[in-house]
Amino acid sequence: MQQDPQPGSHLPDPGQAVYGISVAADLAGIGVQTLRLYERHGLLTPARSDGGTRRYSGDDIARLQRIAALAAAGVNLAGIGRILDLEDTNATLNTDNDRLRDDNTALRADNRARSETSK
């Protein structure tokens, strides 16, 4: 008996650019011209198809929603750009820290194992 697919499994990977500009605007709850304005200000850079058509991913939609929330809170576009840069940097640093902690734990375990076998 074949199992039913998991709910949401029909959705593309969040990093896969599949949405056109009008769909992306609808999903983000903003207008197409607003989306283009955000792009002109460098707040996001969509992928392009071979023909040059903008393609947005689920990650882009989430970023657009964050931009819209900041704009609704009264933050200007330059401020939004700076906030997004800081958030991106912070996420990268957290990922690096997690990796370094894991590496450190593995090295300590390896050193303990070596010291026990040399006794």
Side-chain angles (χ1 to χ4, degrees), residues 22-66:
S22 60
V23 173
D26 281 346
L27 290 172
I30 61 174
V32 171
Q33 291 303 318
T34 302
L35 195 159
R36 287 187 175 119
L37 174 70
Y38 295 161
E39 185 182 341
R40 271 195 310 276
H41 282 273
L43 300 178
L44 81 155
T45 305
R48 297 279 181 159
S49 69
D50 291 339
T53 304
R54 293 173 177 89
R55 291 287 174 216
Y56 298 87
S57 67
D59 291 340
D60 291 332
I61 304 301
R63 188 171 180 94
L64 283 168
Q65 290 169 332
R66 178 70 176 133

Side-chain angles (χ1 to χ4, degrees), residues 10 16 19-20 41 54 62-63 66 75-76 81 89 100 103 108 110-111:
H10 63 282
Q16 185 178 4
Y19 304 108
H41 282 273
R54 293 173 177 89
R63 188 171 180 94
R66 178 70 176 133
V75 180
N76 66 29
T89 299
L100 289 170
D103 290 351
R108 285 183 176 161
D110 187 45
N111 283 339

Side-chain angles (χ1 to χ4, degrees), residues 90-104:
N90 193 40
T92 300
L93 290 171
N94 282 330
T95 299
D96 290 347
N97 279 337
D98 290 343
R99 182 187 48 79
L100 289 170
R101 279 189 201 99
D102 291 344
D103 290 351
N104 195 17

Side-chain angles (χ1 to χ4, degrees), residues 3-20:
Q3 292 183 345
D4 290 332
Q6 294 291 329
S9 64
H10 63 282
L11 295 174
D13 180 86
Q16 185 178 4
V18 295
Y19 304 108

